[in-house]
């Protein structure tokens, strides 16, 4: 969607890079996906907070870069009890890569989300994952892209930030919705965003709280507000990855 004037400069730049990125050769992919809703439910049944831990080398709001091998990080996250993983594939602002995702997915058994800023169908064919992020704000034909992702076997996680975007996502057929606590216009994080939007989400939708979750208190707060899963990057990447993950999964 062409609203770059309402976006933080870093986000507008991310979007320009996404639009300029070349299309993959070949495709369409056909993916045999591991179920994200089932993995989140299993974690809950086991008495854990269902955490989707994110391999996020850097970001526009992070100082420095975590140079560690993504597979080592991913294995530590699983050791800490992560129900699923998220891997950044955006190269220019997050130092992610499709190769990181391919290697991580090969190394672990849990579902893996491709975290990127996809703006057109052909970009789905870059790399296999179990889940793909589609950001409602950046996609004009949301129903079309959800359908294209599902046709390939991906589970689309549709990201929203407010009630209007949620309504668009649900109308477009989203079955997994993420409410991003990070405002892409200001890059500020506010956990109240999730608490405001969550009551509007239909019961049959798998609901993920995204961004800004740093402490066990934050994790409990998001679960109390209705989250079926928590997407956590920075708070896990900063320091001892296994311990950081464990602290949240045992919150
Ligand atoms: O994380 C950023 O700085 C960022 C900046 C601009 C657009 C998106 C950004 N993050 C993407 C994400 O959605 C997060 O990586 C993910 O939700 C985890 O957030 P956090 O736990 O706060 O690292």
């Amino acid at each position: 969607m062409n609203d770059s004037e309402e976006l933080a400069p870093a986000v507008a730049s991310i979007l320009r890079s996404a639009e300029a990125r070349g299309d993959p050769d070949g495709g369409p992919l056909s993916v045999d996906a591991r179920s994200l809703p089932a993995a989140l439910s299993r974690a809950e049944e086991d008495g854990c907070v269902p955490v989707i831990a994110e391999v996020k080398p850097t970001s526009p709001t992070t100082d420095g870069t975590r140079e560690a091998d993504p597979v080592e990080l991913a294995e530590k996250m699983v050791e800490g009890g992560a129900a699923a993983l998220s891997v950044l594939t955006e190269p220019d602002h997050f130092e992610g890569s499709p190769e990181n995702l391919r290697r991580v997915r090969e190394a672990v058994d849990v579902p893996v989300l491709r975290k990127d800023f996809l703006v057109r169908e052909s970009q789905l064919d870059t790399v296999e994952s179990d889940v793909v992020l589609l950001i409602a704000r950046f996609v004009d034909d949301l129903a079309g892209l959800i359908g294209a992702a599902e046709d390939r076997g991906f589970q689309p996680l549709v990201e929203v930030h407010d009630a209007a975007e949620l309504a668009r996502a649900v109308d477009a057929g989203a079955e997994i919705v993420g409410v991003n606590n990070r405002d892409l216009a200001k890059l500020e994080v506010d956990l109240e965003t999730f608490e405001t939007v969550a009551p509007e989400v239909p019961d049959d939708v798998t609901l993920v709280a995204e961004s800004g979750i740093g402490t066990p208190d934050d994790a409990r707060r998001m679960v109390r507000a209705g989250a079926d899963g928590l997407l956590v990057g920075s708070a896990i990447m900063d320091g001892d990855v296994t311990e950081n993950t464990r602290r949240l999964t045992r919150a």
Side-chain angles (χ1 to χ4, degrees):
M1 303 192 103
N2 186 18
D3 66 350
S4 55
E5 69 281 0
E6 294 166 26
L7 296 172
V11 179
S13 169
I14 291 168
L15 208 47
R16 280 195 300 276
S17 296
E19 276 155 4
R21 245 185 280 166
D23 287 331
D25 299 330
L29 292 178
S30 175
V31 178
D32 183 12
R34 306 164 193 163
S35 167
L36 178 66
L40 299 178
S41 298
R42 264 197 310 274
E44 204 190 336
E45 283 157 20
D46 291 346
C48 294
V49 173
V51 170
I52 306 168
E54 185 160 277
V55 178
K56 180 180 183 183
T58 190
S59 85
T61 59
T62 307
D63 289 331
T65 299
R66 180 97 191 227
E67 305 283 359
D69 178 52
V71 171
E72 274 174 36
L73 293 171
E75 286 171 340
K76 287 178 178 171
M77 290 166 176
V78 172
E79 195 187 325
L85 300 177
S86 165
V87 179
L88 260 303
T89 57
E90 203 278 350
D92 301 321
H93 303 78
F94 294 84
E95 299 200 21
S97 75
E99 180 62 5
N100 286 356
L101 169 53
R102 195 196 58 71
R103 290 182 56 232
V104 166
R105 187 163 182 259
E106 198 176 85
V108 301
D109 291 332
V110 299
V112 182
L113 162 70
R114 178 180 175 197
K115 192 79 175 31
D116 209 323
F117 298 78
L118 305 185
V119 289
R120 56 181 184 275
E121 179 175 342
S122 57
Q123 294 174 330
L124 292 167
D125 296 319
T126 302
V127 63
E128 291 191 16
S129 64
D130 304 289
V131 187
V132 281
L133 184 80
L134 304 178
I135 302 176
R137 181 169 188 165
F138 298 155
V139 178
D140 285 317
D141 180 8
L142 195 51
L145 202 52
I146 289 173
E150 287 174 344
D151 285 349
R152 288 161 169 81
F154 293 112
Q155 299 157 93
L157 163 56
V158 181
E159 176 179 304
V160 305
H161 183 66
D162 58 27
E165 287 182 2
L166 171 67
R168 261 190 82 222
V170 171
D171 284 352
E175 294 174 4
I176 309 176
V177 166
V179 178
N180 195 351
N181 289 309
R182 183 172 283 109
D183 177 355
L184 297 181
K186 298 185 185 130
L187 291 187
E188 287 166 3
V189 170
D190 183 353
L191 298 187
E192 220 179 297
T193 306
F194 183 82
E195 292 168 324
T196 305
V197 178
E200 311 297 324
V201 176
D203 287 344
D204 58 352
V205 165
T206 298
L207 179 57
V208 176
E210 298 179 19
S211 305
I213 300 156
T215 66
D217 269 354
D218 294 341
R220 285 190 288 269
R221 180 173 163 188
M222 294 293 95
V223 169
R224 262 199 316 275
D228 300 308
L230 315 181
L231 176 63
V232 185
S234 316
I236 287 178
M237 289 293 290
D238 185 12
D240 182 331
V241 167
T242 309
E243 272 316 304
N244 290 342
T245 309
R246 191 169 284 141
R247 200 168 40 242
L248 294 174
T249 57
R250 296 198 177 160

